[in-house]
Amino acid sequence: MQTVYFEKPPVIIASASIVGYLEGEGPLGKTFDQVVNDTYYGEKTWEKAEQRMMLETMQKALEKAGLQVKDIDYMLAGDLLNQIITANFTARVLGIPFLGLYGACSTMYEGMALGAMLIEGGFAEKVLVGSSSHYSTAERQYRYPTEMGNQRPMTAQWTVTGAGAAVLAREGSGPVITHATIGKVVDLGQGDAQNMGAAMAPAAADTITCHLKDTARQPDYYDLIITGDLGSYGKKLAEQLVTQDGYDISDRYTDCGILIYSAAQDVHAGGSGCGCSAVVTCGYLMESLKTGKYKRLLGIGTGALLSPCSVQQGETVPGIGHAVVIEMR
């Protein structure tokens, strides 16, 4: 069994999201707490801008929960940068006992799963979870400096500029986390670092199938099944792989990377990055649960576990997918 069932489901008592201007201009723009129009966010570097976004997003989540830093038992966070410096330096400021996470773009859902386990296990009362990414910091680290203006293939995705944070608690009002399915690393030999969707799709499909088998549920139990950032190409592939395993999710399945931008914004295959599933979940999905649009959703954070070094050495791109069930009760 890869799926954990929470007898006393932890509650998401508050969430917050801050995004860049491109994300703010997208279809979900009104669901975010703040839109930043300056890619530097008043800082000297893009890396410092991302750190400010994560810090302020976490502070905003605490404010919405009516809590202070001293009320939080653990902070779980991560990002895409080497040695997760965004999360590390945010933790330096907040001073909360900190567990740094790296699951690539699956980090937000990994954090929610682990945070729920800490609370259910009796090790914490309140946990702060978050992740972030920035288009320009990710481009500089993983691909090419933005100043070079390299042409991107149509399979490439646009790294979301933004940060999302959620406060999980043993008690309170809000959506609850009832299950978590921890994914396995899956690698079918895809080595194109400009096609993250194809690299992550097999892991996402594996986690979805494992979750449905473990829970003995059919896809129609959920109002929505949503992956983190497979984009248009990866979504189609994941859907096909799940169908081969005997489940039809086509009428209730979408992807955060597809929802966050419109076709007119020309981001090619869609959005990606640690911030992608984080801001869509902490903004749009939380709002949709609270308004009654959705009652039960299965979210799968997806991550491509590559590094600049592994790509340069000709390695393939392993993928991971962690799932969390969020319900409004």
Side-chain angles (χ1 to χ4, degrees):
M1 292 279 285
Q2 294 174 227
T3 302
V4 177
Y5 167 69
F6 301 113
E7 292 185 3
K8 296 181 179 179
V11 187
I12 303 173
I13 60 172
S15 64
S17 55
I18 296 177
V19 299
Y21 69 90
L22 192 66
E23 294 71 22
E25 292 173 350
L28 307 183
K30 293 183 179 179
T31 66
F32 305 123
D33 290 286
Q34 182 181 340
V35 177
V36 176
N37 293 317
D38 170 21
T39 60
Y40 285 97
Y41 201 11
E43 302 292 334
K44 291 184 178 181
T45 69
W46 288 313
E47 287 75 16
K48 290 183 181 296
E50 184 178 339
Q51 291 162 27
R52 181 179 173 186
M53 277 189 181
M54 179 180 276
L55 175 62
E56 293 186 1
T57 301
M58 290 195 149
Q59 290 172 332
K60 194 176 292 289
L62 290 174
E63 180 183 341
K64 291 169 75 172
L67 299 173
Q68 298 179 13
V69 166
K70 64 181 178 62
D71 299 316
I72 302 298
D73 296 303
Y74 299 106
M75 168 183 162
L76 279 63
D79 54 273
L80 289 176
L81 299 184
N82 289 337
Q83 288 76 52
I84 56 170
I85 57 171
T86 302
N88 290 345
F89 293 160
T90 299
R92 177 179 65 181
V93 175
L94 293 176
I96 302 170
F98 171 58
L99 292 168
L101 306 177
Y102 187 83
C105 304
S106 71
T107 298
M108 186 67 193
Y109 277 78
E110 179 183 357
M112 288 194 292
L114 291 172
M117 290 178 190
L118 285 169
I119 293 172
E120 171 80 355
F123 302 104
E125 292 291 326
K126 298 179 180 68
V127 176
L128 179 62
V129 180
S131 67
S132 68
S133 56
H134 191 301
Y135 174 78
S136 296
T137 64
E139 286 296 305
R140 176 150 61 193
Q141 178 171 291
Y142 285 99
R143 285 172 281 275
Y144 303 99
T146 54
E147 296 87 348
M148 291 179 66
N150 288 70
Q151 186 170 350
R152 302 160 63 243
M154 293 306 294
T155 54
Q157 294 167 250
W158 192 276
T159 303
V160 166
T161 297
V167 181
L168 312 185
R170 186 178 300 279
E171 297 179 349
S173 62
V176 297
I177 296 176
T178 62
H179 296 75
T181 300
I182 306 303
K184 302 189 295 286
V185 175
V186 180
D187 186 349
L188 296 189
Q190 205 287 103
D192 183 2
Q194 295 278 15
N195 190 353
M196 295 291 95
M200 295 184 288
D206 182 75
T207 299
I208 293 170
T209 300
C210 286
H211 174 82
L212 294 173
K213 288 180 178 178
D214 285 350
T215 58
R217 290 174 176 171
Q218 291 299 314
D220 61 6
Y221 179 85
Y222 299 105
D223 302 309
L224 179 71
I225 297 174
I226 186 166
T227 44
D229 59 337
L230 300 184
S232 55
Y233 293 98
K235 175 186 177 292
K236 291 178 182 178
L237 179 56
E239 193 173 311
Q240 291 171 2
L241 292 171
V242 173
T243 300
Q244 289 176 11
D245 287 328
Y247 297 99
D248 183 3
I249 61 174
S250 59
D251 64 341
R252 61 197 66 243
Y253 171 45
T254 190
D255 183 80
C256 296
I258 293 174
L259 294 181
I260 194 166
Y261 300 119
S262 70
Q265 291 179 289
D266 189 27
V267 293
H268 295 10
S272 67
C274 276
C276 185
S277 62
V279 301
V280 173
T281 300
C282 295
Y284 169 70
L285 294 181
M286 289 298 107
E287 181 179 292
S288 297
L289 285 162
K290 291 174 181 178
T291 59
K293 181 177 180 179
Y294 303 124
K295 291 184 178 180
R296 303 187 188 103
L297 67 86
L298 174 64
I300 305 95
T302 47
L305 305 178
L306 78 164
S307 75
C309 179
S310 69
V311 172
Q312 291 164 7
Q313 293 182 2
E315 266 283 6
T316 53
V317 182
I320 189 75
H322 300 300
V324 169
V325 177
I326 306 174
E327 301 187 26
M328 198 69 198
R329 292 184 173 177

